[in-house]
Amino acid sequence: MNDSRTTKDVFKHVPVEKPSFGIGDLKKAIPPHCFKRSLTTSFYYLFRDLGLIYSFYYIATNYITLLPQPYSYVAWPLYWIAQGSILMGLWNIVHDCGHHCFSDYQWLDDTIGFICHSLLLTPYFSFKYSHRTHHANTSSLEKDEVWVPKRKHDTWFYEVLSNPVGNLIMLSFRLFFGFPLYFMFNLHGRIYKGFPSHFNPLGPIFNDRERAQIWLSDAGVLTVLYALYRIGAKEGLKWVFYIYGYPLMAMSAFFIMFTYLHHTHPSIAHYDSSEWDWLRGALSTVDRDYGILNNLFHDVTSAHVVHHLFSNIPHYHTVEATQYIKPILGDYYNYDYTPILKAIWRDTKECLYIEEDPEKKGVYWFRK
């Protein structure tokens, strides 16, 4: 995926002119089998992740709990990070369910998605519908649903945060609190009138046809929270946090990290309503290399551009599909080979707000 390592300046702005190719040209370049869902393959990855999750759980409850100090001080954080990364992979498989590319059966996708996302304290149908809007309006300043950048005149705090200490505070806050605050209060999301929470069935994020399923999503999350309460009453609060809570926090940090880096980069543009169109918006995303985590995260990290162009491609075909469209995309394809920890620190500093291009009205670039 990083064959452009020595030839591409990752800070160079991507083209903002309307491309000469269309979505039909890109689809023709991808072999038909990439669009086919395989129930067997999907279940393989699902059960693989569930097996890994149980294996780490077994190790933690049968071995790590018996370790003396100081060994336990090392073993527990390693478990939290390892388990959190597998939970993130499971979360991404369920993300496929929301796009109806897990199987040919919508009821099966929604059933698996609802159960698994609820277990990860994610309101499945709420996210499914808001995420659909995100895909339909990517990089639109007025209508995108997540990681909507602030304009300079809206960012009253940029002078305070535009320094190493402020950058560290902002990055830490995002990683530790961004996941729950996004779902509860639509943090980093679109500005709405009313209360735009993923847990609010009557809120402005959803239409009337969707509200009954938002109630169901809430019920799923509440059921899991009640189960955790009962487990905590029996095993103790420490057990719940060490076995479940801290791995979930690690998963949340991974979620914020890669979704932020998908849509935040000095080279990509955002558009207001006078200039936005779907194709250029979808192309304003970034593929990155997370090493072994690419496999654990099911390549949602390294093949995100093609996912925004064709969200119905199952995750196990996205890397292959990317290779077929890259020659057509040319400079419109954005890949950044920067090591991830370096990249998230750099982009936190470099991408504080956006300003309009002085030569291209309606086009906005990140600034610091």
Side-chain angles (χ1 to χ4, degrees):
M1 296 294 292
N2 57 353
D3 49 46
S4 58
R5 178 187 295 268
T6 59
T7 61
K8 183 176 180 180
D9 177 7
V10 296
F11 286 93
K12 181 182 178 181
H13 286 171
V14 297
V16 293
E17 297 78 20
K18 293 186 177 182
S20 58
F21 55 83
I23 192 66
D25 301 311
L26 298 173
K27 187 173 183 179
K28 290 177 183 177
I30 300 173
H33 74 263
C34 288
F35 293 93
K36 293 182 179 179
R37 315 172 185 98
S38 168
L39 191 59
T40 302
T41 305
S42 295
F43 268 119
Y44 161 74
Y45 284 107
L46 176 63
F47 287 130
R48 187 195 76 172
D49 283 2
L50 291 175
L52 287 171
I53 290 167
Y54 178 78
S55 297
F56 282 125
Y57 163 80
Y58 184 85
I59 292 171
T61 55
N62 288 274
Y63 297 102
I64 299 179
T65 53
L66 302 178
L67 288 177
Q69 299 173 356
Y71 302 110
S72 62
Y73 292 150
V74 176
W76 277 119
L78 290 177
Y79 163 73
W80 298 334
I81 295 171
Q83 187 73 294
S85 66
I86 305 303
L87 292 177
M88 189 70 257
L90 176 63
W91 197 101
N92 285 331
I93 289 177
V94 181
H95 160 263
D96 265 13
C97 292
H99 283 293
H100 189 28
C101 51
F102 182 90
S103 76
D104 291 331
Y105 310 101
Q106 183 71 67
W107 67 268
L108 180 61
D109 288 12
D110 284 342
T111 300
I112 293 173
F114 172 70
I115 293 172
C116 292
H117 258 181
S118 296
L119 290 171
L120 299 175
L121 300 186
T122 302
Y124 170 73
F125 291 105
S126 305
F127 179 75
K128 174 183 175 179
Y129 294 133
S130 71
H131 192 60
R132 178 189 60 193
T133 304
H134 163 60
H135 271 263
N137 299 279
T138 308
S139 300
S140 165
L141 291 178
E142 291 86 5
K143 295 183 178 181
D144 200 355
E145 280 291 339
V146 67
W147 296 119
V148 180
K150 300 292 186 181
R151 306 189 196 197
K152 184 175 182 180
H153 61 77
D154 294 329
T155 314
W156 56 269
F157 51 82
Y158 82 94
E159 292 183 352
V160 177
L161 297 179
S162 187
N163 58 76
V165 175
N167 295 149
L168 181 60
I169 292 172
M170 182 164 54
L171 176 59
S172 300
F173 181 83
R174 281 176 178 157
L175 291 178
F176 286 105
F177 302 106
F179 183 85
L181 292 181
Y182 169 64
F183 287 110
M184 288 191 291
F185 304 111
N186 208 37
L187 181 71
H188 300 304
R190 174 180 168 185
I191 302 299
Y192 283 100
K193 293 181 180 180
F195 180 41
S197 170
H198 282 75
F199 294 102
N200 180 13
L202 304 180
I205 297 177
F206 313 108
N207 61 46
D208 290 340
R209 291 177 297 175
E210 299 164 348
R211 301 194 192 282
Q213 291 183 314
I214 310 309
W215 286 108
L216 183 60
S217 296
D218 290 355
V221 172
L222 287 173
T223 299
V224 174
L225 287 173
Y226 178 71
L228 291 172
Y229 163 75
R230 294 299 300 267
I231 293 172
K234 180 181 179 181
E235 302 290 345
L237 188 62
K238 179 180 178 180
W239 190 96
V240 172
F241 272 99
Y242 273 51
I243 300 300
Y244 176 84
Y246 293 136
L248 192 71
M249 290 178 63
M251 184 207 79
S252 302
F254 283 131
F255 173 88
I256 291 298
M257 178 175 66
F258 73 68
T259 56
Y260 174 76
L261 291 176
H262 282 159
H263 299 287
T264 307
H265 194 278
S267 70
I268 63 172
H270 283 73
Y271 305 90
D272 66 21
S273 57
S274 68
E275 190 66 23
W276 181 88
D277 62 66
W278 181 86
L279 182 56
R280 284 184 296 166
L283 291 170
S284 289
T285 53
V286 185
D287 286 348
R288 301 179 188 260
D289 186 4
Y290 286 67
I292 190 175
L293 292 179
N294 288 334
N295 182 268
L296 296 180
F297 293 168
H298 303 295
D299 294 307
V300 71
T301 46
S302 60
H304 195 67
V305 173
V306 74
H307 173 65
H308 264 272
L309 293 168
F310 302 101
S311 60
N312 59 330
I313 295 181
H315 68 82
Y316 39 84
H317 290 315
T318 53
V319 171
E320 179 185 0
T322 297
Q323 300 308 314
Y324 285 103
I325 65 171
K326 280 172 63 177
I328 301 174
L329 294 179
D331 288 339
Y332 285 90
Y333 176 68
N334 200 344
Y335 178 89
D336 188 348
Y337 52 80
T338 306
I340 293 305
L341 295 180
K342 181 179 179 181
I344 195 169
W345 178 246
R346 179 201 67 200
D347 293 351
T348 298
K349 295 188 299 179
E350 300 289 335
C351 304
L352 203 54
Y353 59 88
I354 55 170
E355 282 188 322
E356 190 171 26
D357 190 319
E359 299 179 358
K360 184 71 172 177
K361 297 299 182 182
V363 178
Y364 294 75
W365 302 102
F366 282 107
R367 298 285 187 264
K368 64 176 180 178

